[in-house]
Amino acid sequence: MAFPHRHDLETTTLLSRHMGEEEARHLDTWLERGGYEGLRKALTMEPEEIVQVVKDSGLRGRGGAGFPTGMKWSFMPGADDDRPHYLCCNADESEPGAFKDREVLRWSPHLLIEGCMIAARAIRARHAYIYIRGEFFPVLPILNRAVSDAYREGYLGEGIMGSGWSCDLTVHVGAGAYIAGEETGLMASLEGRRAEPRVKPPFPAQVGIFGQPTTVNNVETLAAVPMILTNGAEWYRQWGTEKSPGTKLWCCSGHLNRPGNYEMALGVPLKDILFDVCGGIPEGRAVRAVIPGGSSTAYLTPDELDCETTYEGLKEAGSSLGTASPIVMDESTCLLRATRRIAQFYAHESCGQCVQCREGTEWVTEILTRIEHGDGRMEDIDTLYDLCEQLTGRTICVLADSVVFPLKSSLDKFRDEYEAHILRDTCTAT
Ligand SMILES: Cc1cc2nc3c(=O)[nH]c(=O)nc-3n(C[C@H](O)[C@H](O)[C@H](O)COP(=O)(O)O)c2cc1C
Ligand code: SF4
């Protein structure tokens, strides 16, 4: 499926500059476009210096949690630790609503490879992995070709770019489970085990892949690194805000005239992205709700869309930036049905280790289905609130919490929808 890219709209293009440009996938063209300059610079720097530049840039992880990238790298052991260190690029992208990482992989694979090598040098890794979602069938050959070209031309492997520094990169194809995107589940899967998350601590920087110090970073995070190294931390900070610097790829879907991937400076009001960049709602219908950061984030109502698209701005609005994947629902949407569908997804993807998650997500789905089919009772609303409580903060990973954000916000903000289904067997959607 083709998505519109920046060429026809006023967006900022750092990561997405070459999206849609087929030849930029190839190494020779990529080099003409200034590719691998960030790595060239990084090879003249000590690991600590690279970490400092990324810290100064304020880059935050784009995998969902927004953790500061330079700080994460600084948790890795230093030169006195002679164990192997690993970098793992998380390309499992499975959050409903998110479709940005696969576009970076598809159009700019060398950008990611370069980002991986800079990060590997910063954390003293000699082996990096890209764990790619198994269903990314058209993307895999593009990435594999870029990796083999980079090996052949000396951008990967022994003595990278004529330096004395060597690093390997392996593309590992995932086996199709959402939970393999959670970093400890991902590491288990990479080692050939079931993608079951484990309790943290120990954090991956202490005990990661094969029991060794590991950093896991998202595709978009690593793709931002080369330009930061090339142009400097201050340059990167010209976009975004003090606490949320830089640009962000927004995956906009749902009831929009121009759904697609758009790169924007962080901080633009959400409504400007949805109504100006994406052209608003088709056929003049009204917006009913927006899930701003992918399916695991809380619903916003139309009057909450003024919020700033920063990590802080969306938190203040009662939701989160997550993977920056707004799903727009117009007035024809039944929010009970939408929430049931989200809950069903998480129930299906639960790995089943934690009772609260395994049972709770099923119960939520069952109760929502019952209400949707006109067999609900008013007590069900209290039971759902109770389940929200049971699913919050009690499990190994936050998949269980992921159900709570859309569920609880739908109960709080759209109670009329629940009551209409339970009391009158009707729906408030137009
Ligand atoms: C259930 C679950 C699924 C996740 N899926 C992904 C994913 O597909 N891609 C990703 O980058 N991060 C995902 N994460 C977040 C990762 O655990 C990890 O925080 C992230 O890859 C770190 O990268 P960053 O610091 O660059 O954001 C997921 C987390 C959870 C709890
Ligand atoms: S919260 Fe759910 S997905 Fe996460 S470890 Fe527990 S059972 Fe598995």
Side-chain angles (χ1 to χ4, degrees):
M1 185 173 175
F3 289 100
H5 291 299
R6 83 133 242 152
H7 312 299
D8 38 16
L9 293 158
E10 261 321 298
T11 53
T12 310
T13 54
L14 305 181
L15 297 163
S16 57
R17 176 156 303 158
H18 301 293
M19 285 186 181
E21 202 186 325
E22 204 137 323
E23 62 276 23
R25 292 169 176 164
H26 305 304
L27 183 57
D28 45 357
T29 322
W30 191 253
L31 293 171
E32 284 165 20
R33 307 271 194 278
Y36 289 98
E37 284 310 309
L39 178 57
R40 191 182 302 283
K41 197 161 171 188
L43 290 170
T44 66
M45 296 163 72
E46 291 301 317
E48 294 78 5
E49 293 175 302
I50 305 172
V51 172
Q52 194 58 49
V53 172
V54 175
K55 266 188 182 171
D56 293 344
S57 75
L59 175 66
R60 297 173 66 163
R62 306 303 196 210
F67 193 82
T69 305
M71 193 189 292
K72 184 186 265 193
W73 292 2
S74 72
F75 296 154
M76 288 291 278
D80 52 340
D81 188 313
D82 60 3
R83 288 176 296 168
H85 295 186
Y86 293 104
L87 174 78
C88 186
C89 170
N90 190 342
D92 196 50
E93 190 171 56
S94 313
E95 170 92 341
F99 46 88
K100 61 185 179 65
D101 296 342
R102 68 154 198 224
E103 297 298 286
V104 173
L105 290 157
R106 186 209 300 256
W107 296 108
S108 308
H110 286 289
L111 181 64
L112 179 63
I113 294 171
E114 185 179 354
C116 286
M117 286 303 99
I118 297 169
R121 184 165 168 84
I123 63 164
R124 298 185 167 81
R126 294 300 177 91
H127 203 132
Y129 291 90
I130 297 177
Y131 184 102
I132 182 170
R133 182 175 168 172
E135 294 92 336
F136 283 173
F137 304 118
V139 174
L140 188 60
I142 296 169
L143 179 63
N144 279 338
R145 178 175 170 181
V147 169
S148 70
D149 288 351
Y151 262 109
R152 196 188 58 243
E153 299 300 326
Y155 295 93
L156 288 173
E158 285 295 312
I160 288 177
M161 295 173 86
S163 73
W165 186 72
S166 307
C167 188
D168 283 305
L169 188 144
T170 303
V171 176
H172 182 98
V173 183
Y178 170 70
I179 198 58
E182 193 282 336
E183 60 186 6
T184 58
L186 180 152
M187 294 188 299
S189 172
L190 193 91
E191 293 171 3
R193 295 183 285 119
R194 285 169 65 132
E196 288 180 337
R198 64 155 170 83
V199 173
K200 291 182 277 190
F203 291 96
Q206 282 87 47
V207 180
I209 301 172
F210 311 123
Q212 308 301 331
T214 300
T215 291
V216 181
N217 275 133
N218 171 259
V219 168
E220 189 186 349
T221 313
L222 292 168
V225 168
M227 61 189 83
I228 292 173
L229 262 285
T230 306
N231 302 295
E234 275 315 304
W235 170 87
Y236 188 67
R237 281 186 170 278
Q238 69 183 284
W239 294 279
T241 63
E242 176 63 26
K243 289 187 180 161
S244 301
T247 65
K248 183 80 198 72
L249 292 169
W250 286 84
C251 317
C252 305
S253 68
H255 296 132
L256 287 168
N257 279 313
R258 290 193 294 270
N261 258 316
Y262 300 97
E263 185 175 3
M264 308 293 297
L266 281 157
V268 175
L270 181 58
K271 72 169 180 359
D272 290 1
I273 300 181
L274 302 179
F275 289 93
D276 296 343
V277 178
C278 297
I281 318 296
E283 295 165 24
R285 289 196 298 269
V287 63
R288 184 152 196 230
V290 175
I291 287 192
S295 63
S296 60
T297 60
Y299 286 100
L300 294 177
T301 56
D303 55 346
E304 291 169 324
L305 302 180
D306 275 337
C307 62
E308 215 183 44
T309 52
T310 56
Y311 294 94
E312 306 71 48
L314 278 149
K315 193 167 171 209
E316 227 168 84
S319 189
S320 44
L321 190 136
T323 52
S325 309
I327 304 169
V328 177
M329 303 179 195
D330 74 13
E331 58 193 338
S332 69
T333 314
C334 170
L335 289 176
L336 175 73
R337 184 159 188 237
T339 310
R340 188 266 299 156
R341 188 62 193 87
I342 290 171
Q344 199 173 9
F345 170 81
Y346 288 108
H348 183 260
E349 296 297 334
S350 165
C351 81
Q353 288 186 96
C354 317
V355 177
Q356 293 92 335
C357 176
R358 186 181 66 233
E359 301 295 323
T361 53
E362 285 292 348
W363 273 107
V364 169
T365 309
E366 204 165 301
I367 294 171
L368 292 176
T369 307
R370 186 167 74 209
I371 300 175
E372 190 188 345
H373 292 167
D375 299 322
R377 305 180 285 258
M378 281 305 281
E379 308 89 85
D380 286 339
I381 294 183
D382 295 333
T383 310
L384 287 169
Y385 271 117
D386 189 43
L387 280 162
C388 288
E389 186 99 12
Q390 299 298 324
L391 283 163
T392 303
R394 294 168 198 253
T395 51
I396 295 173
C397 82
V398 295
L399 182 139
D401 305 63
S402 301
V403 185
V404 175
F405 293 114
L407 174 62
K408 185 160 183 306
S409 59
S410 73
L411 289 163
D412 290 344
K413 296 178 181 178
F414 304 101
R415 193 183 168 100
D416 56 334
E417 182 80 284
Y418 286 82
E419 290 183 353
H421 278 271
I422 295 170
L423 299 174
R424 298 185 295 282
D425 196 12
T426 58
C427 182
T428 57
T430 53

